[in-house]
């Protein structure tokens, strides 16, 4: 009976020291006498040799890492502060455990250095409008060291670009001037189209003399519809020309004095 108790206690101690549970989002890297085993323990129960084996669990979930704002000078000599966010995950737990001391810290340092490099190689317009190309460039710069560490870069994005106040005022003035230029162009184009239509209408009225009289009558009707004290009397232009011709003829005749 005592032997059975000793065996049961020994079995319990063996289970406590040799059985580990690996979660679904983890992978287990086993070290046997200090040397890493190539086989990675999958989720579930993992049996280890007591005293001989040690296991380190590696999280394989996607890590969202904010990259602190980096200040730099763009290619067109503008001082900006740019921050980004990095998404990555471990795909080779053995490399992430053995080849690098702290892969999260290493990825953060590489991301900051790459972000400053991108700022120096880009112009301000690219940082504000052409971010997709910059995202791809950042991803390529981070991919090279990440592969050696067993890390896969899912994506990297620039979150915000902070500009100096003087640059913001300059951009506001530029945008205001551009809006004013477009407004003047639209106004001039409208006047040009209106002048073309008026010229076309004048040509048609000249072909039909009665059209001018009808237009005058329509104008009188429109004015009379309003409640005002204005009286409009249409006066034919031909009559004015007749009076003008008569006045010129009177000036041309010599004056006769009474005898």
């Amino acid at each position: 009976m005592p032997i059975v108790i000793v065996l049961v206690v020994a079995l319990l101690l063996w289970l406590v020291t040799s059985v580990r549970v690996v979660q679904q989002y983890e992978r287990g890297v086993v070290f046997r006498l200090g040397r890493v085993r190539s086989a990675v323990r999958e989720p579930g129960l993992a049996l280890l040799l007591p005293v001989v084996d040690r296991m380190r669990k590696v999280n394989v979930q996607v890590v969202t890492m904010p990259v602190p704002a980096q200040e730099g000078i763009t290619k067109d000599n503008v001082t900006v502060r740019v921050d980004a966010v990095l998404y990555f995950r471990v795909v080779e737990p053995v490399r992430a455990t053995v080849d690098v001391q702290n892969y999260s810290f290493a990825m953060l340092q590489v991301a900051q250095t790459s972000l400053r490099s991108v700022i120096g190689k880009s112009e301000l317009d690219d940082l504000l409008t052409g971010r997709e190309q910059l995202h791809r460039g950042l991803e390529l710069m981070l991919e090279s060291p990440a592969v050696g560490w067993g890390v896969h870069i899912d994506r990297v994005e620039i979150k915000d670009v902070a500009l100096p106040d003087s640059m913001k005022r300059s951009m506001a003035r530029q945008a205001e001037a551009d809006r004013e230029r477009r407004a003047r162009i639209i106004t001039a184009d409208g006047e040009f189209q209106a002048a073309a239509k008026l010229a076309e209408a004048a040509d048609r009225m000249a072909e039909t003399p009665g059209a001018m009289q009808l237009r005058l009558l329509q104008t009188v009707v429109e004015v009379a519809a309003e409640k005002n004290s204005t009286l409009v009397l249409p006066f034919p232009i031909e009559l004015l020309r007749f009076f003008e011709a008569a006045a010129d003829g009177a000036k041309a005749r010599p004056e006769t004095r009474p005898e």
Side-chain angles (χ1 to χ4, degrees):
M1 187 67 180
I3 298 177
V4 175
I5 295 176
V6 171
L7 292 177
V8 171
V9 172
L11 179 62
L12 291 176
L13 291 176
W14 180 81
L15 290 175
V16 170
T17 57
S18 62
V19 176
R20 296 289 185 273
V21 177
V22 180
Q23 301 294 334
Q24 182 66 39
Y25 54 87
E26 295 175 334
R27 299 295 183 270
V29 178
V30 178
F31 293 87
R32 180 166 295 174
L33 296 177
R35 300 189 63 179
V36 65
R37 306 289 294 178
S38 59
V40 178
R41 300 303 172 89
E42 298 295 329
L45 290 176
L47 297 178
L48 306 176
L49 295 179
V51 182
V52 177
D53 290 345
R54 293 288 184 272
M55 185 175 69
R56 181 179 298 179
K57 298 178 182 179
V58 180
N59 195 320
V60 295
Q61 291 176 308
V62 176
V63 179
T64 303
M65 176 180 292
V67 181
Q70 303 297 311
E71 185 172 352
I73 300 177
T74 62
K75 192 175 181 180
D76 48 353
N77 298 323
V78 179
T79 303
V80 295
R81 289 178 61 86
V82 181
D83 58 351
V85 58
L86 174 64
Y87 302 91
F88 67 93
R89 57 188 175 89
V90 176
V91 293
E92 297 184 31
V94 174
R95 282 193 171 186
T97 305
V98 178
D99 294 350
V100 61
Q101 183 177 9
N102 187 338
Y103 64 89
S104 296
F105 181 76
M107 290 303 303
L108 178 60
Q109 298 303 311
V110 173
Q112 293 180 8
T113 305
S114 301
L115 185 58
R116 286 194 295 268
S117 177
V118 167
I119 293 174
K121 295 178 181 179
S122 305
E123 295 185 356
L124 180 60
D125 292 340
D126 297 333
L127 291 175
L128 297 177
T129 58
R131 293 189 179 182
E132 291 299 329
Q133 185 176 359
L134 296 180
H135 294 166
R136 291 192 294 269
L138 274 174
E139 186 173 349
L140 290 176
M141 295 177 67
L142 294 173
E143 192 70 28
S144 178
V147 170
W149 300 334
V151 176
H152 173 70
I153 305 297
D154 282 350
R155 63 187 306 173
V156 56
E157 294 181 352
I158 295 176
K159 292 174 58 178
D160 187 27
V161 178
L163 300 175
D165 293 337
S166 58
M167 179 58 63
K168 291 181 180 179
R169 290 192 294 268
S170 299
M171 295 178 66
R173 290 194 299 269
Q174 179 182 359
E176 183 179 358
D178 186 65
R179 288 193 298 268
E180 185 177 355
R181 178 183 62 84
R182 291 199 301 266
R184 290 183 178 180
I185 291 175
I186 293 173
T187 302
D189 185 65
E191 293 179 355
F192 177 79
Q193 295 180 9
K197 292 297 181 181
L198 288 174
E200 183 180 354
D203 293 338
R204 293 195 177 185
M205 287 184 178
E207 296 175 358
T208 307
M212 181 62 70
Q213 300 298 328
L214 293 176
R215 189 70 183 94
L216 290 174
L217 293 175
Q218 184 180 2
T219 304
V220 172
V221 172
E222 292 177 357
V223 174
E226 300 293 335
K227 296 180 179 180
N228 51 33
S229 59
T230 303
L231 180 61
V232 177
L233 294 176
F235 198 79
I237 299 177
E238 290 77 3
L239 188 57
L240 291 176
R241 292 177 180 174
F242 173 76
F243 288 151
E244 183 179 358
D248 293 339
K251 291 180 180 180
R253 287 195 302 268
E255 296 182 358
T256 57
R257 298 179 179 179
E259 295 180 356

